[in-house]
Amino acid sequence: MTYLLSFTIVMVFLLIGEWVSAATKAYVPSIFIAAVLFAIGFWTIVPKNIVTQASYTPQFVGVAMSLLLVQMGSLMNLKELLNQWKAVCIALLGICGTLLFTLIIGSFFFNWKTVIAAVPPLTGGIVAALLMTNGLKAAGITSLVALPVSMFIMHSMIGYPLTAVLLRKEGKRLSVIYNQGKDDPNSEVTKVIQQHKNAETTEKSLLKLPDRYQTPIFIIARVAIVALLANWIGLLLHGAINANVICLILGVIAHQIGFIETNALDKAKIFNWLMYGLLAYIFSQLSLTTPAIIGHIIIQIVALILLGILGMFIASFLLAKPFGFSREMAFACSLTALFGFPADFILTTEICHTVAQNENEEIYLTENMLPKMLVGGFATVSVASVIIASIFLKLL
Protein backbone atom coordinates (compact mmCIF):
# COMPACT_ATOMS: atom_id res chain seq x y z
CA MET A 1 0.00 0.00 0.00
CA THR A 2 2.83 2.43 0.89
CA TYR A 3 4.55 1.86 -2.44
CA LEU A 4 1.36 2.43 -4.40
CA LEU A 5 0.52 5.58 -2.43
CA SER A 6 4.02 6.95 -3.03
CA PHE A 7 3.80 6.16 -6.73
CA THR A 8 0.39 7.88 -6.99
CA ILE A 9 1.61 11.06 -5.27
CA VAL A 10 4.65 11.25 -7.57
CA MET A 11 2.47 10.79 -10.65
CA VAL A 12 -0.06 13.40 -9.46
CA PHE A 13 2.72 15.98 -8.99
CA LEU A 14 3.97 15.32 -12.54
CA LEU A 15 0.39 15.37 -13.86
CA ILE A 16 -0.34 18.77 -12.31
CA GLY A 17 2.85 20.09 -13.90
CA GLU A 18 1.78 18.88 -17.34
CA TRP A 19 -1.76 20.24 -16.95
CA VAL A 20 -0.50 23.68 -15.90
CA SER A 21 1.87 23.70 -18.86
CA ALA A 22 -0.96 22.71 -21.23
CA ALA A 23 -3.32 25.30 -19.74
CA THR A 24 -0.74 28.09 -20.08
CA LYS A 25 0.49 26.87 -23.50
CA ALA A 26 3.92 26.18 -21.96
CA TYR A 27 4.33 29.72 -20.66
CA VAL A 28 4.73 27.96 -17.31
CA PRO A 29 6.85 24.83 -17.97
CA SER A 30 5.68 21.54 -16.51
CA ILE A 31 8.99 20.75 -14.84
CA PHE A 32 8.96 24.09 -13.01
CA ILE A 33 5.54 23.37 -11.50
CA ALA A 34 6.51 19.79 -10.66
CA ALA A 35 9.73 21.00 -9.00
CA VAL A 36 7.77 23.51 -6.88
CA LEU A 37 5.28 20.82 -5.82
CA PHE A 38 8.04 18.40 -4.83
CA ALA A 39 9.91 21.13 -2.92
CA ILE A 40 6.79 22.18 -0.99
CA GLY A 41 5.95 18.54 -0.37
CA PHE A 42 9.39 17.67 0.99
CA TRP A 43 9.41 20.78 3.16
CA THR A 44 6.01 19.95 4.66
CA ILE A 45 4.45 16.47 4.84
CA VAL A 46 5.79 14.36 1.96
CA PRO A 47 8.33 11.71 3.09
CA LYS A 48 11.91 12.32 1.92
CA ASN A 49 12.11 8.83 0.40
CA ILE A 50 8.83 8.97 -1.53
CA VAL A 51 10.54 8.67 -4.93
CA THR A 52 12.48 5.53 -4.03
CA GLN A 53 9.32 4.18 -2.37
CA ALA A 54 7.61 4.70 -5.72
CA SER A 55 10.20 2.29 -7.24
CA TYR A 56 12.45 4.96 -8.79
CA THR A 57 15.75 3.86 -7.25
CA PRO A 58 19.27 4.92 -8.33
CA GLN A 59 19.52 1.61 -10.21
CA PHE A 60 16.34 2.35 -12.14
CA VAL A 61 17.63 5.82 -12.96
CA GLY A 62 20.95 4.45 -14.22
CA VAL A 63 19.08 2.18 -16.62
CA ALA A 64 16.58 4.88 -17.63
CA MET A 65 19.27 7.49 -18.33
CA SER A 66 21.29 5.18 -20.56
CA LEU A 67 18.28 3.91 -22.51
CA LEU A 68 16.85 7.40 -23.00
CA LEU A 69 20.14 8.78 -24.27
CA VAL A 70 20.39 5.98 -26.83
CA GLN A 71 16.83 6.95 -27.81
CA MET A 72 17.90 10.58 -28.21
CA GLY A 73 20.66 9.40 -30.53
CA SER A 74 18.06 7.68 -32.71
CA LEU A 75 16.51 11.10 -33.38
CA MET A 76 19.67 12.45 -35.03
CA ASN A 77 22.11 11.44 -37.72
CA LEU A 78 25.91 11.70 -37.67
CA LYS A 79 25.97 14.75 -39.92
CA GLU A 80 23.43 16.54 -37.72
CA LEU A 81 25.37 15.63 -34.58
CA LEU A 82 28.64 16.95 -36.02
CA ASN A 83 26.89 20.10 -37.21
CA GLN A 84 26.10 21.02 -33.60
CA TRP A 85 29.70 22.03 -32.85
CA LYS A 86 28.51 25.64 -32.77
CA ALA A 87 26.02 24.84 -30.00
CA VAL A 88 28.82 23.12 -28.06
CA CYS A 89 31.08 26.16 -28.43
CA ILE A 90 28.38 28.59 -27.34
CA ALA A 91 27.40 26.44 -24.34
CA LEU A 92 31.01 26.00 -23.19
CA LEU A 93 31.91 29.66 -23.73
CA GLY A 94 28.75 30.58 -21.83
CA ILE A 95 30.19 28.61 -18.90
CA CYS A 96 33.41 30.57 -19.30
CA GLY A 97 31.36 33.74 -18.92
CA THR A 98 29.83 32.32 -15.74
CA LEU A 99 33.25 31.42 -14.30
CA LEU A 100 34.66 34.83 -15.16
CA PHE A 101 31.87 36.80 -13.47
CA THR A 102 31.45 34.60 -10.40
CA LEU A 103 35.14 34.14 -9.64
CA ILE A 104 36.18 37.73 -10.22
CA ILE A 105 33.18 39.77 -9.12
CA GLY A 106 31.81 37.21 -6.65
CA SER A 107 35.11 37.12 -4.77
CA PHE A 108 34.71 40.83 -3.95
CA PHE A 109 31.52 40.11 -1.97
CA PHE A 110 32.01 36.58 -0.59
CA ASN A 111 34.96 34.61 0.70
CA TRP A 112 36.91 32.43 -1.74
CA LYS A 113 35.72 29.06 -0.41
CA THR A 114 32.06 30.11 -0.65
CA VAL A 115 32.51 30.98 -4.32
CA ILE A 116 34.48 27.80 -5.03
CA ALA A 117 31.79 25.65 -3.37
CA ALA A 118 28.92 27.30 -5.25
CA VAL A 119 30.22 27.69 -8.80
CA PRO A 120 30.48 24.03 -10.02
CA PRO A 121 26.77 23.31 -9.34
CA LEU A 122 25.97 26.58 -11.15
CA THR A 123 27.72 25.26 -14.27
CA GLY A 124 26.16 21.80 -14.13
CA GLY A 125 23.71 19.40 -12.57
CA ILE A 126 23.36 17.29 -9.47
CA VAL A 127 26.59 15.34 -10.12
CA ALA A 128 28.70 18.48 -9.72
CA ALA A 129 26.68 19.45 -6.63
CA LEU A 130 27.24 16.06 -4.97
CA LEU A 131 30.95 16.06 -5.86
CA MET A 132 31.38 19.44 -4.17
CA THR A 133 29.31 18.36 -1.15
CA ASN A 134 31.49 15.29 -0.62
CA GLY A 135 34.63 17.38 -1.12
CA LEU A 136 33.53 19.92 1.48
CA LYS A 137 32.81 17.12 3.97
CA ALA A 138 36.22 15.57 3.34
CA ALA A 139 37.92 18.95 3.82
CA GLY A 140 36.01 19.52 7.06
CA ILE A 141 34.33 22.70 5.79
CA THR A 142 30.98 21.83 7.36
CA SER A 143 29.65 25.39 7.24
CA LEU A 144 29.39 25.20 3.44
CA VAL A 145 28.19 21.61 3.02
CA ALA A 146 24.61 22.68 2.23
CA LEU A 147 25.65 25.30 -0.34
CA PRO A 148 26.23 23.13 -3.48
CA VAL A 149 22.90 21.27 -3.32
CA SER A 150 21.03 24.45 -2.38
CA MET A 151 22.62 26.17 -5.37
CA PHE A 152 21.51 23.31 -7.64
CA ILE A 153 17.93 23.57 -6.37
CA MET A 154 17.68 27.34 -6.69
CA HIS A 155 19.32 27.73 -10.09
CA SER A 156 17.07 25.01 -11.52
CA MET A 157 14.01 26.91 -10.35
CA ILE A 158 15.27 30.02 -12.12
CA GLY A 159 16.61 28.19 -15.17
CA TYR A 160 13.40 26.39 -16.15
CA PRO A 161 11.11 29.42 -16.69
CA LEU A 162 13.89 31.62 -18.11
CA THR A 163 14.83 29.01 -20.72
CA ALA A 164 11.16 28.46 -21.56
CA VAL A 165 10.74 32.18 -22.31
CA LEU A 166 13.79 32.16 -24.60
CA LEU A 167 12.71 29.00 -26.42
CA ARG A 168 9.23 30.40 -26.96
CA LYS A 169 10.71 33.54 -28.57
CA GLU A 170 12.94 31.36 -30.74
CA GLY A 171 9.96 29.17 -31.64
CA LYS A 172 7.93 32.20 -32.75
CA ARG A 173 10.87 33.45 -34.82
CA LEU A 174 11.15 30.07 -36.54
CA SER A 175 7.36 30.00 -37.07
CA VAL A 176 7.64 33.17 -39.14
CA ILE A 177 10.37 31.54 -41.25
CA TYR A 178 8.24 28.40 -41.59
CA ASN A 179 5.19 30.32 -42.81
CA GLN A 180 7.30 32.22 -45.34
CA GLY A 181 8.81 29.07 -46.83
CA LYS A 182 6.25 26.31 -46.35
CA ASP A 183 4.77 26.69 -49.84
CA ASP A 184 8.10 26.99 -51.63
CA PRO A 185 9.38 23.54 -52.72
CA ASN A 186 12.96 24.90 -52.88
CA SER A 187 12.99 26.58 -49.47
CA GLU A 188 15.07 25.43 -46.51
CA VAL A 189 11.84 24.83 -44.61
CA THR A 190 10.59 22.32 -47.17
CA LYS A 191 13.98 20.57 -47.27
CA VAL A 192 14.11 20.13 -43.50
CA ILE A 193 10.60 18.66 -43.33
CA GLN A 194 11.17 16.42 -46.33
CA GLN A 195 14.46 15.12 -44.94
CA HIS A 196 12.74 14.29 -41.67
CA LYS A 197 9.95 12.40 -43.39
CA ASN A 198 12.36 10.63 -45.77
CA ALA A 199 14.40 9.46 -42.79
CA GLU A 200 11.29 7.84 -41.31
CA THR A 201 10.08 6.19 -44.53
CA THR A 202 13.50 4.99 -45.76
CA GLU A 203 14.75 3.73 -42.41
CA LYS A 204 17.35 0.96 -42.58
CA SER A 205 16.77 -2.33 -40.83
CA LEU A 206 19.81 -4.43 -40.00
CA LEU A 207 17.75 -7.26 -38.50
CA LYS A 208 14.98 -8.13 -40.95
CA LEU A 209 12.92 -10.64 -39.02
CA PRO A 210 9.30 -11.74 -39.53
CA ASP A 211 6.68 -9.47 -37.94
CA ARG A 212 5.90 -11.99 -35.21
CA TYR A 213 9.39 -11.41 -33.78
CA GLN A 214 9.21 -7.59 -34.00
CA THR A 215 7.90 -7.18 -30.45
CA PRO A 216 8.44 -4.38 -27.91
CA ILE A 217 10.86 -6.51 -25.90
CA PHE A 218 12.96 -7.02 -29.04
CA ILE A 219 13.25 -3.23 -29.37
CA ILE A 220 14.08 -2.78 -25.68
CA ALA A 221 16.72 -5.51 -25.80
CA ARG A 222 18.51 -3.86 -28.72
CA VAL A 223 18.47 -0.42 -27.06
CA ALA A 224 19.79 -2.05 -23.87
CA ILE A 225 22.64 -3.70 -25.81
CA VAL A 226 23.70 -0.32 -27.23
CA ALA A 227 23.46 1.29 -23.77
CA LEU A 228 25.49 -1.53 -22.20
CA LEU A 229 28.18 -1.21 -24.86
CA ALA A 230 28.35 2.56 -24.29
CA ASN A 231 28.78 2.16 -20.53
CA TRP A 232 31.40 -0.55 -21.04
CA ILE A 233 33.38 1.76 -23.34
CA GLY A 234 33.06 4.49 -20.71
CA LEU A 235 34.63 2.16 -18.13
CA LEU A 236 37.45 1.23 -20.52
CA LEU A 237 38.18 4.93 -21.01
CA HIS A 238 38.14 5.46 -17.21
CA GLY A 239 35.64 8.29 -17.57
CA ALA A 240 37.76 10.29 -20.03
CA ILE A 241 34.56 10.56 -22.07
CA ASN A 242 31.35 10.59 -20.05
CA ALA A 243 29.29 7.41 -20.53
CA ASN A 244 26.18 9.51 -21.18
CA VAL A 245 27.87 11.16 -24.15
CA ILE A 246 28.91 7.75 -25.47
CA CYS A 247 25.30 6.55 -25.17
CA LEU A 248 24.18 9.43 -27.37
CA ILE A 249 26.91 8.82 -29.97
CA LEU A 250 26.33 5.06 -30.13
CA GLY A 251 22.59 5.72 -30.36
CA VAL A 252 23.22 7.81 -33.47
CA ILE A 253 25.48 5.12 -34.99
CA ALA A 254 23.11 2.25 -34.12
CA HIS A 255 20.27 4.12 -35.77
CA GLN A 256 22.35 4.93 -38.86
CA ILE A 257 23.23 1.27 -39.46
CA GLY A 258 19.67 0.15 -38.81
CA PHE A 259 20.22 -1.66 -35.51
CA ILE A 260 17.61 0.45 -33.72
CA GLU A 261 14.60 2.37 -35.05
CA THR A 262 13.81 6.07 -34.86
CA ASN A 263 12.00 6.73 -31.56
CA ALA A 264 12.68 3.14 -30.55
CA LEU A 265 11.42 3.46 -26.98
CA ASP A 266 8.27 5.23 -28.17
CA LYS A 267 7.53 2.24 -30.38
CA ALA A 268 8.20 -0.07 -27.44
CA LYS A 269 5.69 2.00 -25.39
CA ILE A 270 8.08 2.69 -22.48
CA PHE A 271 9.54 6.13 -23.30
CA ASN A 272 7.20 8.10 -21.02
CA TRP A 273 7.57 5.58 -18.22
CA LEU A 274 11.36 5.98 -18.22
CA MET A 275 11.18 9.76 -18.62
CA TYR A 276 8.78 10.22 -15.70
CA GLY A 277 10.93 8.01 -13.50
CA LEU A 278 14.05 9.96 -14.34
CA LEU A 279 12.29 13.26 -13.67
CA ALA A 280 10.96 12.03 -10.34
CA TYR A 281 14.44 10.99 -9.25
CA ILE A 282 15.89 14.39 -10.18
CA PHE A 283 13.15 16.13 -8.20
CA SER A 284 13.91 13.85 -5.23
CA GLN A 285 17.14 15.82 -4.79
CA LEU A 286 14.98 18.68 -3.53
CA SER A 287 14.68 16.71 -0.29
CA LEU A 288 18.38 17.25 0.49
CA THR A 289 17.85 20.70 1.94
CA THR A 290 15.28 22.74 3.88
CA PRO A 291 13.88 26.31 3.78
CA ALA A 292 15.89 27.09 6.93
CA ILE A 293 19.16 26.04 5.30
CA ILE A 294 18.42 27.93 2.08
CA GLY A 295 17.28 30.98 4.05
CA HIS A 296 20.65 31.09 5.80
CA ILE A 297 22.60 31.23 2.52
CA ILE A 298 20.02 32.76 0.18
CA ILE A 299 21.98 35.99 -0.38
CA GLN A 300 25.09 34.14 -1.56
CA ILE A 301 23.01 31.84 -3.77
CA VAL A 302 20.97 34.56 -5.47
CA ALA A 303 23.94 36.88 -5.98
CA LEU A 304 26.11 34.15 -7.53
CA ILE A 305 23.26 32.88 -9.71
CA LEU A 306 22.64 36.38 -11.05
CA LEU A 307 26.35 36.88 -11.71
CA GLY A 308 26.59 33.48 -13.40
CA ILE A 309 23.56 34.07 -15.63
CA LEU A 310 24.82 37.55 -16.49
CA GLY A 311 28.12 36.01 -17.59
CA MET A 312 26.24 33.49 -19.75
CA PHE A 313 24.09 36.23 -21.25
CA ILE A 314 27.03 38.45 -22.23
CA ALA A 315 28.96 35.52 -23.73
CA SER A 316 25.87 34.37 -25.66
CA PHE A 317 25.08 37.91 -26.81
CA LEU A 318 28.59 38.33 -28.23
CA LEU A 319 28.75 34.86 -29.82
CA ALA A 320 25.26 34.60 -31.33
CA LYS A 321 25.88 36.48 -34.58
CA PRO A 322 29.36 35.02 -35.36
CA PHE A 323 27.97 31.49 -34.92
CA GLY A 324 24.77 32.18 -36.86
CA PHE A 325 22.42 31.79 -33.87
CA SER A 326 19.69 34.10 -32.70
CA ARG A 327 20.47 35.65 -29.32
CA GLU A 328 17.58 33.73 -27.75
CA MET A 329 18.85 30.38 -29.05
CA ALA A 330 22.44 31.10 -28.04
CA PHE A 331 21.38 32.11 -24.51
CA ALA A 332 19.13 29.05 -24.19
CA CYS A 333 22.06 26.79 -25.21
CA SER A 334 24.19 28.35 -22.48
CA LEU A 335 21.42 27.96 -19.91
CA THR A 336 21.40 24.16 -20.44
CA ALA A 337 24.25 24.25 -17.90
CA LEU A 338 21.60 24.93 -15.25
CA PHE A 339 19.76 21.63 -15.74
CA GLY A 340 20.86 19.44 -18.69
CA PHE A 341 19.04 16.28 -19.74
CA PRO A 342 16.12 15.46 -19.50
CA ALA A 343 14.91 18.99 -18.72
CA ASP A 344 16.38 20.38 -21.96
CA PHE A 345 14.46 17.77 -23.96
CA ILE A 346 11.17 18.34 -22.12
CA LEU A 347 11.32 22.15 -22.26
CA THR A 348 12.14 22.17 -25.97
CA THR A 349 9.52 19.63 -27.05
CA GLU A 350 6.84 21.34 -24.94
CA ILE A 351 7.55 24.69 -26.58
CA CYS A 352 7.68 23.23 -30.09
CA HIS A 353 4.37 21.46 -29.56
CA THR A 354 2.54 24.50 -28.19
CA VAL A 355 3.96 27.12 -30.57
CA ALA A 356 3.48 25.07 -33.75
CA GLN A 357 0.11 25.21 -35.51
CA ASN A 358 0.46 21.89 -37.32
CA GLU A 359 2.61 18.77 -37.53
CA ASN A 360 4.97 20.06 -40.23
CA GLU A 361 5.62 23.26 -38.31
CA GLU A 362 6.35 21.25 -35.16
CA ILE A 363 8.82 19.11 -37.13
CA TYR A 364 10.56 22.25 -38.42
CA LEU A 365 10.80 23.83 -34.96
CA THR A 366 11.98 20.61 -33.33
CA GLU A 367 14.63 19.92 -35.98
CA ASN A 368 16.04 23.43 -35.51
CA MET A 369 15.93 23.64 -31.72
CA LEU A 370 16.16 20.21 -30.10
CA PRO A 371 19.59 19.05 -31.38
CA LYS A 372 21.17 22.34 -30.24
CA MET A 373 19.66 22.06 -26.76
CA LEU A 374 20.53 18.38 -26.32
CA VAL A 375 24.14 18.74 -27.43
CA GLY A 376 24.56 21.95 -25.44
CA GLY A 377 23.27 20.17 -22.34
CA PHE A 378 25.65 17.25 -22.74
CA ALA A 379 28.62 19.56 -23.29
CA THR A 380 27.90 21.51 -20.11
CA VAL A 381 26.33 19.16 -17.58
CA SER A 382 27.75 15.79 -18.60
CA VAL A 383 31.28 16.93 -19.43
CA ALA A 384 32.29 20.47 -18.46
CA SER A 385 30.65 20.62 -15.02
CA VAL A 386 32.32 17.39 -13.85
CA ILE A 387 35.72 18.66 -15.01
CA ILE A 388 35.12 22.02 -13.31
CA ALA A 389 34.03 20.33 -10.07
CA SER A 390 37.13 18.10 -10.11
CA ILE A 391 39.39 21.15 -10.54
CA PHE A 392 37.58 23.25 -7.93
CA LEU A 393 37.81 20.47 -5.34
CA LYS A 394 41.58 21.01 -5.37
CA LEU A 395 41.09 24.72 -4.68
CA LEU A 396 39.17 24.25 -1.40
Side-chain angles (χ1 to χ4, degrees), residues 14 30 37 53 79 93 96 104 113 173 179 205 215 230 240-241 248 318 334 339 344 347 367 372 380-382:
L14 296 176
S30 63
L37 291 174
Q53 286 282 341
K79 183 180 178 182
L93 291 171
C96 291
I104 295 177
K113 289 184 178 179
R173 185 186 73 84
N179 287 316
S205 180
T215 60
I241 301 177
L248 179 74
L318 295 174
S334 293
F339 40 80
D344 49 9
L347 283 168
E367 291 288 321
K372 295 181 178 69
T380 53
V381 174
S382 298

Side-chain angles (χ1 to χ4, degrees), residues 31-244:
I31 51 178
F32 174 73
I33 296 298
V36 170
L37 291 174
F38 274 97
I40 294 172
F42 288 133
W43 296 344
T44 52
I45 61 173
V46 172
K48 305 287 188 184
N49 65 342
I50 189 171
V51 172
T52 52
Q53 286 282 341
S55 80
Y56 298 125
T57 62
Q59 292 79 13
F60 172 90
V61 169
V63 172
M65 178 71 85
S66 295
L67 296 183
L68 286 167
L69 290 176
V70 173
Q71 155 93 350
M72 293 302 109
S74 80
L75 301 176
M76 292 186 274
N77 56 52
L78 284 173
K79 183 180 178 182
E80 188 176 61
L81 186 64
L82 294 173
N83 283 342
Q84 300 311 320
W85 65 270
K86 293 180 181 179
V88 172
C89 291
I90 287 175
L92 293 179
L93 291 171
I95 283 182
C96 291
T98 293
L99 294 176
L100 188 66
F101 272 65
T102 52
L103 292 177
I104 295 177
I105 300 176
S107 297
F108 281 108
F109 299 98
F110 310 110
N111 68 63
W112 178 247
K113 289 184 178 179
T114 297
V115 176
I116 292 299
V119 170
L122 182 56
T123 62
I126 189 62
V127 174
L130 294 178
L131 281 173
M132 293 308 300
T133 298
N134 293 334
L136 290 166
K137 288 178 181 177
I141 310 174
T142 55
S143 60
L144 296 176
V145 166
L147 184 57
V149 172
S150 299
M151 174 63 80
F152 166 75
I153 291 169
M154 291 299 294
H155 79 52
S156 297
M157 294 289 197
I158 295 171
Y160 295 152
L162 178 56
T163 306
V165 169
L166 292 168
L167 290 175
R168 175 170 285 277
K169 288 184 177 180
E170 176 67 3
K172 289 182 176 180
R173 185 186 73 84
L174 291 171
S175 288
V176 173
I177 297 173
Y178 168 80
N179 287 316
Q180 290 173 345
K182 65 180 179 179
D183 297 323
D184 182 357
N186 298 316
S187 70
E188 185 65 25
V189 172
T190 304
K191 290 178 183 177
V192 168
I193 295 169
Q194 196 58 50
Q195 285 172 0
H196 177 86
K197 292 185 175 180
N198 287 343
E200 290 185 340
T201 55
T202 60
E203 197 167 57
K204 295 179 182 178
S205 180
L206 189 65
L207 303 172
K208 295 181 180 179
L209 299 178
D211 288 346
R212 64 180 178 274
Y213 297 115
Q214 301 283 356
T215 60
I217 193 62
F218 181 51
I219 297 174
I220 296 168
R222 281 178 285 147
V223 174
I225 289 169
V226 176
L228 180 63
L229 178 61
N231 280 272
W232 179 68
I233 292 173
L235 287 175
L236 288 180
L237 296 176
H238 301 290
I241 301 177
N242 189 282
N244 291 338

Side-chain angles (χ1 to χ4, degrees), residues 303-315:
L304 290 171
I305 288 175
L306 292 177
L307 284 173
I309 290 178
L310 180 60
M312 285 183 187
F313 170 74
I314 292 174

Side-chain angles (χ1 to χ4, degrees), residues 3-24:
Y3 298 106
L4 186 56
L5 177 61
S6 298
F7 176 78
T8 303
I9 292 171
V10 168
M11 289 298 108
V12 168
F13 282 178
L14 296 176
L15 171 66
I16 293 171
E18 287 201 357
W19 276 4
V20 171
S21 176
T24 61

Side-chain angles (χ1 to χ4, degrees), residues 44 73 232 252 272 308 316 366 369:
T44 52
W232 179 68
V252 173
N272 287 328
S316 303
T366 303
M369 295 165 64

